[in-house]
Amino acid sequence: MKKLTLIRHGKSSWNYDVSDRDRPLLERGINDAYLVASALKEPVIDAVFSSPANRALHTCNIFLRVLNIPSNELRIYDELYDFSGEHVIKFIKSLDNKLQNVVIFGHNHALTHIVNIYGDKVIDNVPTSGLVELSFNILDWNAIAKGSTQNVIFPKQLKND
């Protein structure tokens, strides 16, 4: 059994004259990431991977802090800075089969595309700071096929307004 948790980076700012990779999180993005991370109940995680984009790394570091995962557990891969999903899917299929529970921090439309290909629940859009867990009855990541959508946590579900 394999579990894949996909987390979209928090809401980012367009107010700075920086490259797309360097865009920072807005305060809302920081708060939403804390909110979603705090809603996770003692997750079992074998590996954490992130896009190199500032907004994805910042979101990832918030989750690591909240979940008490040492930052040296994080691995950063350029192929996760992907918006179509093609590179992320190749990355997932190449994962070490010793890994059972993997978390990836990335971007849309890649993540929405992947949760709809491999999950059994239609999700129109994974929002910023959104989390979707998928499980697969496989032994080899390369054999990934339609799995089961196990957990969906979006910031909007956790807010009282």
Side-chain angles (χ1 to χ4, degrees):
M1 198 70 158
K2 305 282 188 199
K3 184 173 82 174
L4 175 65
T5 303
L6 299 169
I7 303 171
R8 184 177 171 194
H9 65 76
K11 186 79 172 159
S12 61
S13 173
W14 293 87
N15 295 334
Y16 299 92
D17 186 22
V18 295
S19 72
D20 183 70
R21 280 185 184 233
D22 292 332
R23 282 193 293 119
L25 291 180
L26 285 170
E27 185 175 350
R28 177 183 141 200
I30 294 167
N31 294 337
D32 285 354
Y34 273 106
L35 197 60
V36 173
S38 299
L40 281 175
K41 305 292 184 229
E42 299 180 29
V44 175
I45 298 171
D46 297 325
V48 178
F49 302 102
S50 179
S51 156
N54 183 36
R55 59 194 182 276
L57 285 172
H58 191 175
T59 304
C60 177
N61 281 309
I62 290 169
F63 275 77
L64 294 177
R65 193 173 313 128
V66 170
L67 300 173
N68 292 313
I69 298 170
S71 58
N72 65 351
E73 296 288 320
L74 168 63
R75 301 290 176 260
I76 300 164
Y77 287 90
D78 279 332
E79 51 264 56
L80 298 178
Y81 183 67
D82 174 28
F83 303 96
S84 71
E86 179 183 330
H87 297 293
V88 177
I89 290 169
K90 283 181 188 170
F91 179 84
I92 293 165
K93 288 183 174 193
S94 72
L95 286 169
D96 185 330
N97 290 319
K98 293 181 206 145
L99 301 174
Q100 303 302 314
N101 301 298
V102 173
V103 180
I104 294 177
F105 289 83
H107 307 272
N108 245 3
H109 298 281
L111 298 188
T112 296
H113 180 63
I114 292 166
V115 301
N116 285 310
I117 289 174
Y118 295 112
D120 60 359
K121 182 179 191 179
V122 174
I123 296 175
D124 290 331
N125 179 52
V126 176
T128 52
S129 298
L131 175 152
V132 179
E133 286 179 359
L134 304 173
S135 66
F136 306 94
N137 193 15
I138 57 173
L139 297 174
D140 186 330
W141 283 106
N142 194 42
I144 191 171
K146 189 63 99 174
S148 172
T149 305
Q150 295 293 309
N151 194 12
V152 177
I153 305 172
F154 294 165
K156 190 176 187 177
Q157 301 165 314
L158 304 171
K159 294 180 181 178
N160 296 327
D161 44 77

